[in-house]
Amino acid sequence: MDTAEPSAEIKRLTRLNEYGPDDLFICCASFEERCLAGASKMERNYRTNFSTIFVIEEPLYKKQVDTNLNSLKSMLGTKSSKGIFVISCQRDGPVEGIAQLKGIWNQCGPRDLENPYITVDISGFTKIYLLQLLNYLIIDLKLGFPRLIHTTQTYLPTKLTKGVAQITTIPNFYGSILLEKQTVLVLFLGFEPERSLAVWKHFNPAKTIALITNPPRDGNLNYLKYAEKNNSYLLSQSSVELRNVPADNPYAAKKVLEAIYEEIRASSNMIIGPFGTKPQAVGVFLFCLEHPKIQVIYSLPVKYTRSYLWRKPGPTLLLPLNPVSV
């Protein structure tokens, strides 16, 4: 049977290519301290031909973003033998950001597309950018999955965002919605209740399956209690069913979605809202690879709270993307 391999904490980041430098290291300079963790863990002899740093503009936290960008450029400067590319883009413009990557791909991409050595540190990316990046690398370029690493954060009982600026279908994840079928909305919940609630109200689905992270990271039950309290209004609705999903295992998250899909596929459209963890968003991508008719919806926040600035980096994880046969 296929079972999900657990995420593994890494203390040092080694090369994928044992015979020379890797092809490419991709990361994102955000206002969060954890965006530096992947680069800081590179071993002394780690080398990559190129590094690409996305910078998602955030006017409220420009100072923190600029500081982290300079730190990344300094750390990667000694590791990137052929150069560093910086892609500056708007928070709500992932298509434009990926278009810039397309423009430089012939310069920074791997020479051997069948055996690329690419690492992506997903820690600083927003989920909408992360899904677009994976779509470009894996669907458009037809590369294999890159190595994905993710640095978690310490828990704080505070909301991560405020307000909802826009509700949108994520580009390249439009799916195929049949009007004769009812809609089942699957929401990954976390500490952003306004955003998930706005999507729920927008679609007014016949049924909603709310996925909450349980067991919580490090067995921290306060995390679980706060997530449930944050989303208490939504969870109290008669049409909402609560289920559990792991925090940091993309393949396990995919398996949860597969089970839901098998239950509803005959009678309902399935729409997903990824408002949980970033590894769960990777699980959404894995699921959509096999089910391109599924639609993925996102709501953009008005602003990020300063709570992000108070959270300290946790462990850096190597994300499992494939099942293990036992």
Side-chain angles (χ1 to χ4, degrees):
M1 119 178 129
D2 287 339
T3 170
E5 179 184 356
S7 300
E9 181 179 356
I10 56 173
K11 301 292 187 180
R12 308 299 299 172
L13 188 66
T14 60
R15 292 197 318 263
L16 292 167
N17 183 6
E18 60 180 310
Y19 300 109
D22 286 353
D23 294 307
L24 180 62
F25 180 83
I26 302 174
C27 62
C28 181
S30 74
F31 49 83
E32 302 173 86
E33 184 181 347
R34 64 171 168 172
C35 75
L36 307 176
S40 71
K41 287 180 168 60
M42 289 177 172
E43 284 198 334
R44 182 180 58 82
N45 65 347
Y46 183 97
R47 293 293 183 275
T48 180
N49 286 328
F50 294 99
S51 291
T52 297
I53 307 172
F54 281 77
V55 184
I56 301 176
E57 296 177 6
E58 185 55 55
L60 288 177
Y61 305 112
K62 185 178 186 303
K63 178 181 178 182
Q64 290 85 357
V65 172
D66 289 346
T67 297
N68 288 338
L69 172 60
N70 289 332
S71 295
L72 281 171
K73 289 165 70 175
S74 176
M75 286 188 285
L76 294 174
T78 62
K79 303 294 185 181
S80 309
S81 59
K82 295 185 178 180
I84 298 173
F85 292 90
V86 176
I87 294 174
S88 182
C89 40
Q90 300 292 320
R91 187 176 68 187
D92 57 353
V95 172
E96 191 274 333
I98 299 302
Q100 291 185 53
L101 179 60
K102 292 178 181 180
I104 63 173
W105 187 256
N106 287 338
Q107 300 175 66
C108 69
R111 293 180 180 177
D112 185 354
L113 295 180
E114 294 185 359
N115 296 288
Y117 298 105
I118 301 174
T119 298
V120 180
D121 182 351
I122 72 171
S123 309
F125 285 97
T126 64
K127 298 179 190 75
I128 192 171
Y129 265 90
L130 176 57
L131 289 170
Q132 290 297 286
L133 177 62
L134 293 176
N135 182 81
Y136 176 61
L137 295 176
I138 295 161
I139 295 180
D140 291 354
L141 293 174
K142 297 180 173 56
L143 299 177
F145 258 93
R147 175 172 60 180
L148 298 184
I149 61 172
H150 174 60
T151 300
T152 64
Q153 292 187 117
T154 55
Y155 162 77
L156 283 178
T158 54
K159 293 181 180 180
L160 300 179
T161 59
K162 289 186 177 180
V164 176
Q166 179 185 356
I167 296 173
T168 183
T169 304
I170 296 181
N172 300 304
F173 295 85
Y174 297 111
S176 179
I177 301 300
L178 300 178
L179 296 178
E180 64 268 23
K181 288 187 175 184
Q182 65 181 10
T183 294
V184 172
L185 179 63
V186 180
L187 290 174
F188 287 80
L189 301 182
F191 294 170
E192 301 173 278
E194 292 172 302
R195 297 174 66 188
S196 52
L197 188 60
V199 167
W200 178 74
K201 290 180 176 178
H202 178 79
F203 282 97
N204 190 26
K207 180 179 180 179
T208 300
I209 298 177
L211 301 177
I212 201 160
T213 299
N214 189 28
R217 287 180 181 141
D218 303 320
N220 189 343
L221 294 180
N222 287 329
Y223 175 100
L224 180 60
K225 291 176 182 177
Y226 186 66
E228 291 175 340
K229 180 181 177 182
N230 244 332
N231 297 281
S232 59
Y233 177 80
L234 178 63
L235 296 177
S236 69
Q237 304 304 307
S238 59
S239 62
V240 177
E241 176 187 344
L242 179 63
R243 300 189 188 183
N244 296 331
V245 64
D248 299 313
N249 193 311
Y251 183 75
K254 172 182 178 286
K255 295 291 284 185
V256 171
L257 293 172
E258 289 282 4
I260 295 171
Y261 179 71
E262 289 303 316
E263 293 173 20
I264 70 169
R265 58 185 300 184
S267 61
S268 306
N269 297 303
M270 183 172 174
I271 298 176
I272 302 174
F275 302 106
T277 68
K278 291 172 187 177
Q280 288 167 358
V282 177
V284 171
F285 179 80
L286 291 174
F287 176 72
C288 290
L289 265 180
E290 298 180 14
H291 304 284
K293 292 185 178 181
I294 302 303
Q295 187 175 95
V296 184
I297 296 296
Y298 201 64
S299 57
L300 297 164
V302 172
K303 68 176 183 178
Y304 292 92
T305 68
R306 295 188 66 83
S307 121
Y308 276 105
L309 306 183
W310 304 329
R311 294 173 180 239
K312 298 300 180 184
T316 297
L317 306 175
L318 175 64
L319 300 186
L321 300 171
N322 298 301
V324 177
S325 295
V326 296

